Amino acid sequence: MKMFWAGLATETNTFSPFPTTIADFQVLRASDSDADDPQFSGWFEGINTIKKMARERGYDFVASLSAFAEPAGYTVRSAYEQLRDELLADLKAAMPVDIVMLDLHGAMVAQGYDDCEGDLTARVREIVGKDARIGVELDLHCHLTQDLLDQADVVVIYKEYPHVDVLERAKELFALLADAAEGKIKPVMALFDCRMVGLFPTTRQPMRGFVDEMMALEGQDGVLSISLAHGFPWGDVADMGVRMLVVTDNDVPKAQTLAEQLGRKFFALRHDVDQQPSPLADVLSRVADYAESGKPVVIADITDNPGGGAPSDSTFALKALLERGITDAGIAMIWDPVVVDIAKRAGVGAKLQLRIGGKMGPMSGDPVDLEVEVIGVAANMAQEFEQQGAEPVKLPCGDTVALRGRGIDIIVNSSRTQVLSPQVFSNFGIDPTRKRCLVVKSTQHFYAAFAPIASAVFYAGAPGALVPYYQQIPYRNVRTDKYPWLDDPFGL
Ligand SMILES: [Zn+2]
């Protein structure tokens, strides 16, 4: 038995002004995966875990590339085609192959390809033939299409948001694929369109309970796997939206019935599971309420989260902090490579007059002119992201500087990266626990590491590339015959 593994992932915000180019992809190749580069330890752990599981079953294991780009706007057509074709060439060279395992995202949109994952999987099927098993792991912020399901044998999607279960789901997918290839099971899949849009953090109720219920049903009565595709609301493609996926052991009616039953149950929770951010001004006016707590109020600047493809150089939050005279505050991370370069060259202790952020267009607001002191410089800084049952993943932020102006510590970086850990402050000797207020450009992935040090966590909506009010997003391809445009699209 021979297994082929590859990864190609990004999440495309079709409203973002940033193109995703070939240079934006971090590409690891099989030959790198034995190298001991601690910066990518978590990535290698994923590949190496699957490699070990394959070898334990006595399989040959061939790894192709693993490519990932920080979310941004449309992927340039040639970039997608170049990576896809390299992967397919590796697959052809590895033939005959019995099992293909693909680590994708599910919301990659390239110029000319609304469904990159469907396109890739169809081409893989063409090469391996109908008898090989194809398994796909997706991020829950995917556009789950019937085209993809038609080509794959098993699809398993992350269940947790924040995504702390990437490796756990990969292990499950491997086990299902291997059992299918060995003839022990025959996976069949059914999809149900929940006809709704939203963002659903799994750390709070009733979402937590729903995820727990999905997990409790797995492994019983022929149910092999259950996934909820949350969808990615800033991808303007026809298949955007929430979908329920059930995989059973050769029982199509059961998969269909359960997918519909769970899908309708989730739809019934629609008013309670979405993130529901508050306007930035409302959130900032509440900071004073927590002055006596001795802990910071943490504010997620969700509209400018580079993890969702936003530029990460918007200034609405920084400007509001300055206008309100909020001091003992920290904000991270504003993408501005020009500022980083100037501050780096000036060095720690230098006092500078800088024009910060606001470069990428109207959705970033105007630049902020501010006199600052450089309080820290870090070459290619990294931050850690916790994973269930594994070492934290170390993710690079590019060259990064800490600036202090009018009582606000501003972290500025050169490589757009969402904030995942208070290390983005503490790496510079800034104690985040002693601030009154911390603003982080992230939607939800910051939460696990920041909640323990926070007096309160607020999600703030401002102008930007990830406007959290779906009815204001200028879709051209997404059909709006769903919630929240209609409160009950099933009842019509
Ligand atoms: Zn995601």
Side-chain angles (χ1 to χ4, degrees):
M1 202 80 81
K2 189 192 268 184
M3 177 173 205
F4 177 88
W5 184 98
L8 175 52
T10 190
E11 176 183 78
T12 302
N13 180 327
T14 60
F15 302 99
S16 171
F18 262 97
T20 304
T21 68
I22 193 73
D24 296 308
F25 281 90
Q26 179 72 46
V27 186
L28 304 177
R29 292 183 171 81
S31 52
D32 307 326
S33 67
D34 294 321
D36 191 23
D37 182 342
Q39 187 145 119
F40 302 108
S41 57
W43 289 15
F44 289 139
E45 182 162 1
I47 303 169
N48 289 335
T49 300
I50 300 305
K51 188 197 287 179
K52 189 161 164 268
M53 290 174 80
R55 294 206 168 138
E56 278 166 8
R57 294 222 188 194
Y59 301 169
D60 290 334
F61 182 86
V62 181
S64 176
L65 54 81
S66 173
F68 171 80
E70 182 75 10
Y74 278 100
T75 299
V76 173
R77 182 180 189 123
S78 61
Y80 167 62
E81 290 177 344
Q82 183 181 327
L83 293 167
R84 176 195 70 190
D85 293 349
E86 181 182 337
L87 188 161
L88 296 175
D90 285 351
L91 177 58
K92 279 182 190 153
M95 286 297 288
V97 163
D98 307 287
I99 306 171
V100 176
M101 184 162 163
L102 299 173
D103 179 15
L104 308 179
H105 182 290
M108 179 176 186
V109 186
Q111 290 161 352
Y113 299 92
D114 271 7
D115 178 12
C116 290
E117 293 81 5
D119 173 68
L120 175 66
T121 311
R123 287 167 194 268
V124 166
R125 176 61 76 193
E126 245 174 60
I127 294 168
V128 297
K130 64 177 176 30
D131 294 330
R133 302 296 173 178
I134 300 177
V136 179
E137 183 178 11
L138 298 176
D139 187 297
L140 54 80
H141 297 114
C142 58
H143 312 300
L144 188 58
T145 66
Q146 189 61 49
D147 285 350
L148 173 70
L149 297 188
D150 289 345
Q151 301 298 338
D153 293 279
V154 193
V155 173
V156 172
I157 302 175
Y158 311 160
K159 286 193 173 64
E160 304 292 344
Y161 180 36
H163 308 326
V164 293
D165 62 333
V166 178
L167 190 59
E168 286 304 305
R169 299 288 90 81
K171 289 183 198 169
E172 283 174 14
L173 175 61
F174 172 85
L176 292 171
L177 270 176
D179 284 352
E182 292 174 17
K184 294 175 184 164
I185 55 171
K186 187 170 184 304
V188 291
M189 298 188 282
L191 189 65
F192 180 77
D193 184 347
C194 301
R195 300 184 68 173
M196 57 188 281
V197 173
L199 274 193
F200 318 110
T202 56
T203 43
R204 55 174 182 254
Q205 296 295 4
M207 192 63 209
R208 180 71 255 151
F210 190 81
V211 174
D212 291 341
E213 186 184 344
M214 288 182 354
M215 293 206 265
L217 291 167
E218 290 176 320
Q220 301 184 41
D221 303 327
V223 177
L224 298 174
S225 172
I226 302 176
S227 293
L228 180 71
H230 295 204
F232 181 61
W234 298 276
D236 186 11
V237 295
D239 282 292
M240 193 278 284
V242 181
R243 281 158 188 202
M244 179 60 75
L245 173 69
V246 173
V247 189
T248 63
D249 188 3
N250 201 22
D251 189 342
V252 173
K254 177 161 195 146
Q256 286 169 338
T257 308
L258 188 56
E260 173 161 2
Q261 195 187 322
L262 287 170
R264 285 185 181 269
K265 192 166 184 176
F266 186 70
F267 178 79
L269 299 173
R270 64 195 177 284
H271 300 128
D272 304 316
V273 287
D274 198 9
Q275 196 172 41
Q276 292 161 344
S278 309
L280 177 65
D282 294 3
V283 168
L284 287 174
S285 66
R286 298 199 55 191
V287 170
D289 300 347
Y290 296 86
E292 303 301 315
S293 71
K295 290 171 154 187
V297 171
V298 174
I299 298 170
D301 181 6
I302 63 175
T303 322
D304 195 34
N305 169 21
S312 195
D313 76 334
S314 96
T315 53
F316 299 104
L318 175 59
K319 204 177 280 177
L321 288 171
L322 290 165
E323 280 167 8
R324 286 163 184 263
I326 296 177
T327 55
D328 297 321
I331 181 167
M333 291 180 286
I334 295 177
W335 174 81
D336 194 328
V338 173
V339 161
V340 170
D341 193 49
I342 294 167
K344 248 171 62 187
R345 281 189 283 126
V348 173
K351 293 202 166 66
L352 304 169
Q353 186 69 45
L354 290 175
R355 172 160 283 201
I356 301 167
K359 310 289 201 300
M360 278 309 287
M363 63 178 60
S364 296
D366 294 329
V368 168
D369 294 310
L370 194 65
E371 190 179 330
V372 298
E373 181 181 346
V374 181
I375 58 171
V377 173
N380 204 14
M381 190 175 80
Q383 58 178 335
E384 293 181 340
F385 188 48
E386 298 289 334
Q387 285 286 301
Q388 284 175 354
E391 291 295 304
V393 185
K394 271 196 177 174
L395 295 161
C397 312
D399 292 346
T400 307
V401 297
L403 311 172
R404 182 169 291 161
R406 289 172 52 188
I408 303 173
D409 290 352
I410 307 162
I411 311 300
V412 184
N413 71 347
S414 58
S415 174
R416 297 166 50 252
T417 320
Q418 108 169 266
V419 173
L420 304 169
S421 161
Q423 290 165 350
V424 299
F425 296 105
S426 60
N427 284 347
F428 294 101
I430 298 165
D431 183 352
T433 66
R434 300 185 71 87
K435 297 292 182 193
R436 285 170 64 199
C437 170
L438 297 172
V439 177
V440 293
K441 290 184 187 284
S442 173
T443 306
Q444 183 61 16
H445 290 316
F446 73 98
Y447 186 86
F450 278 86
I453 66 164
S455 56
V457 175
F458 292 111
Y459 299 86
L466 290 157
V467 170
Y469 310 111
Y470 311 116
Q471 283 141 300
Q472 294 176 15
I473 300 176
Y475 293 117
R476 284 185 297 180
N477 303 309
V478 169
R479 285 171 46 181
T480 54
D481 56 347
K482 49 171 82 81
Y483 178 81
W485 293 269
L486 301 174
D487 188 56
D488 186 8
F490 293 107
L492 295 175

